[in-house]
Amino acid sequence: MAFYEELQESMLDGDDERAVEITEAALADGMDPMDVIQKNMVPILDDIGEQFSRLELFLPDLIMAADVATAVKDVIAAKLTKADGESAGKIVIGTVQGDVHDIGKNIVATLLEVNGFEVHDLGNDVKPFDFINEAREVGADLICLSSLLTTSMPYMEDVLKSLNGLGIRDQFKVIVGGGPVSAEWAASIGADGYSEDANEAVELCRKIMSEKKGA
């Protein structure tokens, strides 16, 4: 059975031990660690998310798949950790208040982590001040906000308004993303950037950190 099919089966079965075993074997055989994520895990999670939206899978299936994805991510992150331990930047990420969707956010967090970022994932349904408190506590460079519901998008704006109200807006870069989110929305609320997908989010964070370090 091909690696993709085995990983897909493991994720649907919630079998993290098997997923870790086949991932380690694939890496030992020379598979690029990023290919495990981008060419296998990401499309599998996308497919699972689409099946969920069609009511072919249910919440327990999503939870099992997410747990397996985390186990695989940990294997990849360990493989890609820089010898000098240097972080590409500190990021606080989460799905905003009123929204419990997190597969897309989880993919972004995974890609950021395996690309050397220190990621603090707050999960879903996160209140605006929880983002801010965590960012201040860990000394974050960026705050990444996700929303899959138009009804929860205003909470993204609340994060920006709260940062401004506290007089600390310039301490953090804020980027937004998610199904209904657009570059126009990002600009209208004063965000520092918008990404359409996980790969674009990584590139945007890299660009922002590069500009920050060069400033």
Side-chain angles (χ1 to χ4, degrees), residues 176-212:
V176 298
V181 182
S182 66
E184 290 74 22
W185 167 254
S188 74
I189 64 173
D192 297 293
Y194 155 79
S195 61
E196 187 171 356
D197 56 41
N199 288 325
E200 190 176 301
V202 172
E203 291 307 312
L204 177 58
C205 290
R206 281 177 170 168
K207 180 175 181 288
I208 289 173
M209 288 307 301
S210 177
E211 292 172 349
K212 182 176 181 178

Side-chain angles (χ1 to χ4, degrees), residues 1-24 26 31 33 35-45 48 64-65 68-73 76:
M1 187 184 295
F3 175 74
Y4 182 97
E5 295 169 338
E6 284 193 89
L7 183 60
Q8 183 178 47
E9 189 173 287
S10 298
M11 294 181 77
L12 289 171
D13 290 342
D15 191 342
D16 55 348
E17 290 185 5
R18 181 185 176 198
V20 167
E21 181 180 334
I22 63 173
T23 297
E24 290 177 339
M31 181 178 287
D35 284 348
V36 173
I37 299 292
Q38 295 176 318
K39 295 184 179 180
N40 292 277
M41 194 166 80
V42 169
I44 290 171
L45 284 172
I48 289 173
M64 287 194 302
V68 174
T70 297
V72 171
K73 178 257 299 182
I76 302 303

